[in-house]
Amino acid sequence: MCGIVGYIGSRHASGVLIEGLRRLEYRGYDSAGLATVDSKEIQLVKVAGKIANLSSVVQVNPISGTVGIAHTRWATHGPPSDINAHPHLDCQGTIAVVHNGIIENFDKLRRKIIESGHQLRSETDTEVIAHLLEEQIQNKTFEEALFSVLVQLEGTFGLAMICTNEPRKIFAARRGSPLVLGLGKNRDEFFVASDPAAIISYTQDIMYLDDNEVAVLSDSGVETFSLDRNRTDKKIESIEITVGEMERGGYSHFMLKEMHEQPEVVTNAIRGRLDFTEGLAVLGGLSDVVDQLRDLKRLTIVGCGSACLAGTIGSYMLEEYAGLPVNVQLASEFRYRKPILDPKREAIIVVSQSGETADTLGALREAKQKGVLTIGVVNAVGSSIARETDAGVFVHAGPEIAVASTKAFVAQVTVFALLTMFLGRMRGMSRSVGVKIAEELRVLPHKIDRILRQEEWIRLLARKYAHSPNMVFIGRKYNAAVAFEGALKMKEISYLHAEGFAAGELKHGPMALLDPSLPVVALMTRDSVFEKVRSNVEEVRARRAPVIAVVSEGDEEILSLTDDIMFVPRTLEMLSPILNVIPLQMLAFYTALARGHDPDQPRNLAKSVTVE
Ligand code: G6P
């Protein structure tokens, strides 16, 4: 989704800004632009399409200057175009603004500034900010003008701005859309960015801007203020990711690299967290809230997309092994229904890879408002959700760059297994069951490796079915959510229309679709519902739909029932989603390639969805 980079120092700003934008490319965008400033003018270039287009324009018409701001846009108001791309200028071209988020009252503000005689060029909500600043700045400093404008804005924003009146400054403001400030190693250059990834080539030292804070970056440093204009103190923190982690490292695609990292991801998620003698999970991030967790009567899990599906698998684990009733909600629904929560005996688990998804963050804030304990299952350290939850467990998957989640999903499900042990052992789970789960978690990385070795076979399978118009995924119990996840992966990166169903639901509608042109991917590993899924697969076969099955290693008996097979090692039923999802990820990846699409950057999608 939209990305921001700003630079002040002595280097050519355009080079630093374009490199920063490239590092944000993975988040998904449709246009890009940058602007630099000196005391006479703002130089601006912005184009629809890829950063490579922007870079070629800058190569032909170099942009000078050592202070500048840049942006990748993911269209919300107005289609992707050169004009709608950021930065946006005021009428006189003396102020430039880049913006992440959505200004909800922009229509009203737009009418107001048009009435005052301003000429707007774009259809965006952002441009109104440049004109509002122009209105205010007549008899004020930029900083004063900014404070007066911020109180007029409703909605969410991460903003970076430059102005010819104060050409050696960058102004930034945050409400709801993340911004970090970077301090150059020698403290002679400074950065602002929506994601630390944008500036990792230059510095490790960052400060997170909080909501309703304003920052002023100049040659002498960074100052931050609250909306009531008081100075705020910020802690300098270290970026936890490395340049190497942000690169493809020999793989053709980030998604392929991330799928191959999954054995290590599980190892990292469980590292130092298992007591194999007592069958306990040791989760330091929950130590302050242990008493509240012991008294819990019910849990709610919220998230979006794959994060919500990981939570669904977690809910089956927690109910079966920890005896806790769990309610799973899409974050976008949770925040607008009227959830009934008991602050004394309930808690909410908020699942998010990025820690910045707008709906998930909204759901977290709604839950906090209601006074319930909030627990994060988050990947990005330092993200808004990680910082705003009362307690939490990091999944330690490392940066996930491909838009479609793979390793973060697997890490989230692994953390739910740890949470199940943690909460289960407080409420009746025996030591031996705890030990069994711990032992099985320990060997999962090797089992994932065995699945990854079938890559070539899965690539051939993907080619065989790649041109089917539709595909259905089915599974039951723990693997119903895996079926949904398999279908989600397939549609999001290959654009092959795919739907996931709980296998028992086939008869209640979807079966009408079955015919020889509709491949059905069935999750039928040996578990407590195996016989039930087998019956469902018989029903599919009777309608002559091809069956591609994910089955337990050595289960030759299934061969006669299916057209094609992908094997996975045996494991505990509750952990089977961690293995079963991997062939489905591979199938989606190679289907996308066979259909000629880039799996890393699917059309219309963004890695981190920071608008509602
Ligand atoms: C986007 C991504 C998905 C992800 C979802 C939730 O849609 O493409 O892969 O599952 O957002 O993101 P989060 O960062 O909150 O896990």
Side-chain angles (χ1 to χ4, degrees), residues 85-97:
H86 300 206
H88 289 285
L89 304 183
D90 63 328
C91 296
Q92 298 172 52
T94 57
I95 295 168
V97 178

Side-chain angles (χ1 to χ4, degrees), residues 184-462:
K185 289 181 195 115
N186 302 320
R187 303 297 189 257
D188 56 357
E189 56 182 358
F190 302 93
F191 306 81
V192 56
S194 53
D195 177 335
I199 56 176
I200 44 170
S201 313
Y202 300 100
T203 184
Q204 294 288 115
D205 297 341
I206 52 168
M207 302 189 302
Y208 290 97
L209 206 60
D210 284 312
D211 270 350
N212 296 313
E213 264 187 329
V214 167
V216 182
L217 291 75
S218 67
D219 290 304
S220 51
V222 171
E223 290 179 305
T224 54
F225 303 89
S226 59
L227 272 193
D228 48 18
R229 306 183 191 198
N230 290 319
R231 288 283 298 271
T232 52
D233 280 334
K234 309 289 316 168
K235 198 166 97 207
I236 300 177
E237 301 182 42
S238 226
I239 301 183
E240 301 240 339
I241 49 178
T242 62
V243 175
E245 284 177 317
M246 298 297 296
E247 281 162 6
R248 281 201 298 269
Y251 286 94
S252 61
H253 294 85
F254 280 108
M255 184 171 169
L256 191 60
K257 175 184 177 222
E258 287 158 10
M259 289 188 292
H260 278 276
E261 282 171 353
Q262 292 178 118
E264 193 189 332
V265 159
V266 172
T267 305
N268 289 343
I270 61 175
R271 178 171 293 124
R273 289 172 163 174
L274 287 172
D275 176 337
F276 294 95
T277 315
E278 292 305 318
L280 291 169
V282 185
L283 300 174
L286 300 183
S287 54
D288 290 346
V289 295
V290 169
D291 291 338
Q292 277 161 282
L293 292 175
R294 197 167 278 122
D295 291 341
L296 277 189
K297 280 279 167 288
R298 199 166 71 123
L299 261 174
T300 297
I301 299 176
V302 296
C304 297
S306 300
C308 189
L309 293 173
T312 306
I313 296 165
S315 73
Y316 280 73
M317 294 180 185
L318 287 158
E319 290 192 344
E320 184 163 358
Y321 286 94
L324 256 176
V326 187
N327 163 29
V328 184
Q329 295 272 319
L330 288 165
S332 53
E333 289 299 308
F334 173 86
R335 57 186 300 201
Y336 293 113
R337 61 193 293 166
K338 295 257 174 301
I340 298 163
L341 299 167
D342 173 0
K344 291 200 195 78
R345 313 298 291 272
E346 291 191 38
I348 181 168
I349 299 185
V350 185
V351 192
S352 176
Q353 186 285 126
S354 62
E356 300 294 351
T357 302
D359 282 318
T360 314
L361 191 55
L364 163 63
R365 290 178 178 159
E366 180 63 28
K368 284 186 86 130
Q369 192 91 41
K370 295 197 152 51
V372 292
L373 174 69
T374 59
I375 296 162
V377 172
V378 173
N379 189 31
V381 176
S383 60
S384 303
I385 294 174
R387 290 180 318 130
E388 291 186 28
T389 35
D390 299 313
V393 187
F394 284 114
V395 305
H396 296 317
E400 192 178 62
I401 311 292
V403 166
S405 185
T406 53
K407 64 173 183 172
F409 174 83
V410 156
Q412 286 157 357
V413 178
T414 306
V415 163
F416 272 108
L418 296 174
L419 275 167
T420 301
M421 291 172 67
F422 189 86
L423 295 171
R425 291 285 278 120
M426 287 176 179
R427 29 173 68 73
M429 180 196 285
S430 69
R431 181 181 147 277
S432 65
V433 170
V435 169
K436 208 161 144 196
I437 300 171
E439 295 290 0
E440 193 51 35
L441 279 168
R442 178 156 62 182
V443 295
L444 274 187
H446 307 292
K447 295 187 175 180
I448 297 175
D449 256 333
R450 295 225 291 272
I451 304 172
L452 293 171
R453 276 186 238 132
Q454 294 172 56
E455 184 172 348
E456 188 48 28
W457 164 240
I458 299 175
R459 189 176 71 83
L460 294 175
L461 268 189

